[in-house]
Amino acid sequence: MRVLLLHHPYTYPRFEQDFVDRVAELPEFDVVADPGMAPTLAWGDFTGLRVLMDHDIIQNYSDIFDATLGGT
């Protein structure tokens, strides 16, 4: 099985970069930085598993950092 990890490019050092770098070392993964505003993915006939991983999703469902971010 092949896995594509598509991520936003880092414009300044962030802790997530270490995670992305380790994933890129795994032979099953292709890691690609989005060069800008990515168009909607054309899934075509792809029927495999699709996973959205959001490492800071807590900001979408909690007000512990900023109550205005809820659900964004």
Side-chain angles (χ1 to χ4, degrees), residues 5-52:
L5 174 62
L6 181 64
H7 68 92
H8 292 288
Y10 297 101
T11 55
Y12 54 89
R14 293 182 52 101
F15 70 90
E16 297 95 337
Q17 188 63 50
D18 288 337
F19 169 75
V20 172
D21 291 344
R22 296 301 76 76
V23 170
E25 294 173 357
L26 300 171
E28 304 90 353
F29 282 80
D30 293 319
V31 176
V32 178
D34 171 22
M37 293 299 289
T40 301
L41 291 174
W43 292 100
D45 293 332
F46 179 80
T47 58
L49 180 64
R50 303 173 198 175
V51 177
L52 169 64

